[in-house]
Amino acid sequence: MQDRTHAADAEPGDDVTVAGWVHELRDLGGIAFLILRDSSGKIQIKFEKDEMDEALVETGLGVARESVVSVSGRVEEEPRAPTDVEVVPESVEVIAPADPELPLDPSGKVDAELSTRLDNRTLDLRKEEVQAIFEVRAEILRAARERFRAVGCTEITTPKIVATGTEGGTELFPITYFGREAFMNQSPQLFKQLIAGSNVERVFEIGPIFRAEEHNTPRHLNEATSIDFEGAFCDDGDAMDVAEEVVRAAYEGVAENCADQLESLGLAEEFSVPEASFPRLTYEETIERINATGALEEPLVWGDDLPTEGEKALGEEIGSHYFITDWPSEIKPFYIKDHDDDPEVSTGFDLMHPRMELVSGGQREHRYDHLVEGFEQQGLDPEQFEYYTEMFRYGMPPHAGFGLGGERLIMTILGLENIREAVLFPRDRQRLSP
Ligand code: AMO
């Protein structure tokens, strides 16, 4: 491709070629402007109709919005232009014309439904505030990676096609694997434990998880990004420390490196990094406090899952992130270790944002006999999991970890209403393409 200057880099006196999308055409009579947009920003192109070549003016002003054009000319200072400079064109080339009927308006002047936006993501991402979400997403994942590495973790990637599920309560997507039944993985849970039990000790993974949940809510996806941690010689308290550090690092990364994006999203004033350390409430304290809010008709009793309205009422009262620890063993999966002095209570924990659950984790059952017993108690066939349990016979250290919902983290950091806004191409009950 020919040498090209980004809009933001054009300096008065330069001879440049700028290329991008036609954001707007403004015809004031004798003078007209084409506002050209690229990934760096916008720049004004000035057409003086009586003084310029007729064909040039016709090409520049006859083009439909969102067409891709390349403009060569001299950059001049112009205090009335949006960026204080404008290009006086010598040539204009239409590289890719756009249909004048657009399915959505990238200038944002006309609002579009979320489903129309998701059907036309390329056009949707031409809006500054939508692009900003994905730039922030990239920063959050970068900051999380960096923090994991700083606490001694190695990044791993594990199979997404598997023979068995691990997370009770959510359904699996079956697939055909050379004539055999297989599934899309719900969580890297068992793999990350198997690696934490090797010499590698501390691992993290950022990858897709697949959940065939029936729910159609603003905070569930059928394909989500899980940010997973597992560490040998760690207990539930250590895993909570790492979860808190990673969540805080994500906020810090956004605060330090996403000033322009926060501005585009209208969040520059209100954005802040959580200050105090996240309080840790036991499950027992949590249900008492939820009951005391009066948000539920039926009070919660030991062993109940926490209903969304209860979580919301307590979240409003606490007003910050908080952990819920010491869950009843019976509502946590088989791989979560129970407390030695009380098998009814587990080491499982959740990290909550006032709006929703962000993380589940816990210390793991690392003793072979207890693990196999746990499978049987949950009605699972230990033979199907032999590839996993066998490794617990050859020196499996105590270990702990967590899974953090990537999109929920992005959603809560940016205050997005719907989780689908945090994914380029979300998968939900209705949506399989694009
Ligand atoms: P869990 O099933 O609680 O735990 O998932 C961990 C976190 O992942 C996010 N999440 C989702 N986000 C969007 N849509 C979904 N359908 C969805 N399902 C889960 C949530 C949730 O808190 N193996 C354990 C983790 C561990 O113990 O290490 C697990 O998967 O934010």
Side-chain angles (χ1 to χ4, degrees):
M1 296 289 281
Q2 67 195 126
D3 273 349
R4 155 179 182 235
T5 303
H6 271 113
D9 301 331
E11 298 283 349
D14 289 353
D15 284 316
V16 297
T17 297
V18 286
W21 292 264
V22 177
H23 185 67
E24 208 182 329
L25 290 161
R26 254 186 249 150
D27 198 334
L28 308 179
I31 194 165
F33 300 106
L34 182 161
I35 309 296
L36 182 132
R37 189 189 66 236
D38 64 22
S39 63
S40 73
K42 299 184 194 106
I43 191 160
Q44 173 166 301
I45 319 292
K46 178 172 73 179
F47 293 90
E48 284 170 310
K49 292 184 193 167
D50 296 338
E51 285 164 40
M52 286 181 177
D53 177 65
E54 212 173 299
L56 175 85
V57 172
E58 228 165 73
T59 310
L61 301 180
V63 68
R65 279 171 54 218
E66 295 307 316
S67 298
V68 177
V69 297
S70 166
V71 178
S72 300
R74 168 71 54 99
V75 184
E76 288 185 355
E77 220 172 83
E78 175 49 75
R80 285 166 298 179
T83 56
D84 293 336
V85 295
E86 63 185 8
V87 177
V88 179
E90 270 147 35
S91 69
V92 175
E93 186 194 346
V94 178
I95 297 175
D99 196 306
E101 288 288 312
L102 298 171
L104 69 82
D105 174 16
S107 79
K109 285 184 187 139
V110 185
D111 274 346
E113 296 275 334
L114 183 58
S115 64
T116 309
R117 294 180 39 209
L118 296 175
D119 285 343
N120 300 281
R121 253 317 195 192
T122 306
L123 289 176
D124 187 41
L125 276 157
R126 291 183 189 167
K127 290 187 235 163
E128 206 173 86
E129 68 279 15
V130 179
Q131 193 182 328
I133 294 175
F134 293 95
E135 285 164 356
V136 169
R137 180 184 165 112
E139 172 57 26
I140 288 172
L141 297 183
R142 186 207 63 75
R145 277 201 166 86
E146 191 178 292
R147 189 53 56 110
F148 279 125
R149 294 177 71 107
V151 297
C153 295
T154 301
E155 181 162 7
I156 57 168
T157 51
T158 61
K160 304 305 158 205
I161 301 175
V162 294
T164 54
T166 52
E167 307 305 313
T170 56
E171 295 297 321
L172 288 155
F173 284 113
I175 56 167
T176 304
Y177 191 71
F178 301 113
R180 284 153 63 192
E181 186 176 55
F183 304 97
M184 301 304 292
N185 204 8
Q186 291 170 306
S187 158
Q189 183 62 39
L190 306 190
F191 297 111
K192 64 179 180 170
Q193 287 188 254
L194 291 177
I195 305 308
S198 74
N199 260 35
V200 181
E201 289 196 18
R202 280 188 158 212
V203 294
F204 78 96
E205 173 163 9
I206 301 180
I209 56 169
F210 303 90
R211 308 264 171 127
E213 344 224 5
E214 300 282 326
H215 338 6
N216 204 349
T217 81
R219 60 203 164 85
H220 285 92
L221 292 164
N222 294 106
E223 178 176 350
T225 308
S226 188
I227 302 175
D228 275 89
F229 164 77
E230 202 67 29
F233 305 102
C234 284
D235 63 15
D236 44 339
D238 300 321
M240 282 190 265
D241 290 344
V242 177
E244 179 163 344
E245 273 200 51
V246 168
V247 168
R248 195 179 299 282
Y251 277 88
E252 284 167 356
V254 175
E256 276 165 32
N257 301 317
C258 296
D260 291 349
Q261 288 78 3
L262 291 174
E263 187 75 45
S264 303
L265 288 158
L267 298 173
E269 299 287 307
E270 70 198 67
F271 189 82
S272 65
V273 178
E275 274 171 24
S277 68
F278 305 161
R280 297 181 183 187
L281 273 62
T282 64
Y283 168 87
E284 202 165 1
E285 288 163 340
T286 305
I287 58 172
E288 276 167 19
R289 286 187 64 169
I290 291 178
N291 288 342
T293 64
L296 304 179
E297 280 179 22
E298 281 278 311
L300 296 171
V301 294
W302 177 264
D304 284 344
D305 270 318
L306 305 185
T308 312
E309 320 86 83
E311 284 176 1
K312 282 203 175 132
L314 183 58
E316 271 170 32
E317 194 179 293
I318 295 182
S320 69
H321 293 83
Y322 64 102
F323 285 100
I324 306 175
T325 66
D326 302 284
W327 285 73
S329 306
E330 61 180 331
I331 54 172
K332 283 288 173 190
F334 62 84
Y335 51 77
I336 299 282
K337 188 172 178 294
D338 301 336
H339 281 294
D340 290 331
D341 54 359
D342 186 355
E344 299 294 307
V345 185
S346 78
T347 62
F349 65 82
D350 283 2
L351 171 60
M352 309 295 295
H353 177 274
R355 288 175 65 197
M356 72 193 81
E357 176 198 313
L358 289 183
V359 172
S360 285
Q363 188 174 338
R364 319 306 189 181
E365 180 51 78
H366 68 284
R367 298 161 302 179
Y368 177 81
D369 296 339
H370 288 75
L371 186 66
V372 172
E373 248 173 56
F375 275 103
E376 284 160 357
Q377 275 164 14
Q378 284 204 1
L380 293 165
D381 176 8
E383 260 182 37
Q384 279 203 323
F385 292 90
E386 249 172 21
Y387 69 92
Y388 167 73
T389 50
E390 278 299 285
M391 294 303 124
F392 285 67
R393 295 173 54 208
Y394 309 119
M396 180 62 72
H399 57 287
F402 64 80
L404 159 62
E407 285 79 16
R408 289 193 184 182
L409 180 63
I410 297 157
M411 184 183 176
T412 50
I413 287 181
L414 293 180
L416 306 175
E417 286 302 319
N418 194 314
I419 197 165
R420 291 159 184 78
E421 301 236 27
V423 196
L424 286 169
F425 299 107
R427 290 288 168 264
D428 64 23
R429 293 261 340 243
Q430 279 77 37
R431 191 166 283 280
L432 188 54
S433 63

